[in-house]
Amino acid sequence: MSPLDQVRIIQLPRVQDPRGNLTFVEGEQHVPFDIKRVYYLYDVPGGETRGGHAHRDLEQVLIAASGSFEVVLDDGRARRTFLLNRPYHGLYLPRLIWRELENFSSGSVCLVLASLRYDEADYYRDYDEFIRDIGCQP
Ligand code: TYD
């Protein structure tokens, strides 16, 4: 299976309550890895793009904890765009996927659950190098 075929939306648990709703995530239970790191993107100015890289080993789940944004994915064979706009949807990204995050709504928050601690050596930041390494033509 190519990396893009493994991408999927995970329906996270929702505890609905008139006082406000709650969603929780447990590593190896709701996401297919042990969660080693959490980070979030916020205060993204209108029109800005984040991402622009792929990972050698890292797996992630992206959640629009607030607002919405689009995730453009490319595994060198195909491209697909996902709109995230529900705090109970997690977008699972396996390793070796180039991603761009764009069209952030005002006040949106992108919460990221990651399978590994931060390691700059795990990044592909050059698209042509990524494509070369995975054996596709740039
Ligand atoms: P980066 O992953 O490039 O952000 P984006 O997802 O928008 O591409 O990270 C931006 C900067 O933040 C970079 O200098 C590395 C630093 N950073 C950490 O120090 N720890 C982390 O866990 C992350 C995700 C980034």
Side-chain angles (χ1 to χ4, degrees):
M1 231 188 342
S2 74
L4 209 45
D5 293 331
Q6 298 168 53
V7 172
R8 63 184 188 277
I9 295 282
I10 298 172
Q11 298 282 337
L12 298 168
R14 296 164 73 184
V15 184
Q16 289 180 291
D17 191 307
R19 298 172 303 159
N21 300 331
L22 180 152
T23 284
F24 56 94
V25 188
E26 295 180 359
E28 292 180 320
Q29 179 70 26
H30 305 108
V31 299
F33 52 79
D34 187 24
I35 299 167
K36 292 270 175 45
R37 178 166 53 112
V38 175
Y39 66 93
Y40 35 99
L41 299 167
Y42 53 96
D43 290 348
V44 179
E48 279 297 344
T49 299
R50 300 289 316 220
H53 54 74
H55 290 281
R56 290 174 164 82
D57 287 315
L58 186 73
E59 297 169 73
Q60 294 179 318
V61 167
L62 275 53
I63 299 167
S66 184
S68 66
F69 53 87
E70 288 179 331
V71 187
V72 183
L73 302 175
D74 176 350
D75 69 356
R77 293 165 188 82
R79 249 170 218 256
R80 233 177 125 183
T81 300
F82 287 83
L83 171 68
L84 289 182
N85 59 3
R86 298 278 182 266
Y88 49 86
H89 285 173
L91 180 65
Y92 170 68
L93 302 183
R95 60 195 288 266
L96 299 179
I97 298 244
W98 190 270
R99 82 287 309 271
E100 311 267 355
L101 279 62
E102 56 190 40
N103 292 328
F104 285 85
S105 68
S106 166
S108 59
V109 177
C110 171
L111 177 65
V112 184
L113 313 176
S115 65
L116 298 170
R117 294 181 67 174
Y118 175 74
D119 177 9
E120 184 59 34
D122 186 65
Y123 282 73
Y124 282 105
R125 292 199 183 270
D126 182 275
Y127 182 75
D128 290 344
E129 182 195 3
F130 166 65
I131 293 294
R132 257 197 319 276
D133 271 21
I134 61 172
C136 299
Q137 291 302 314

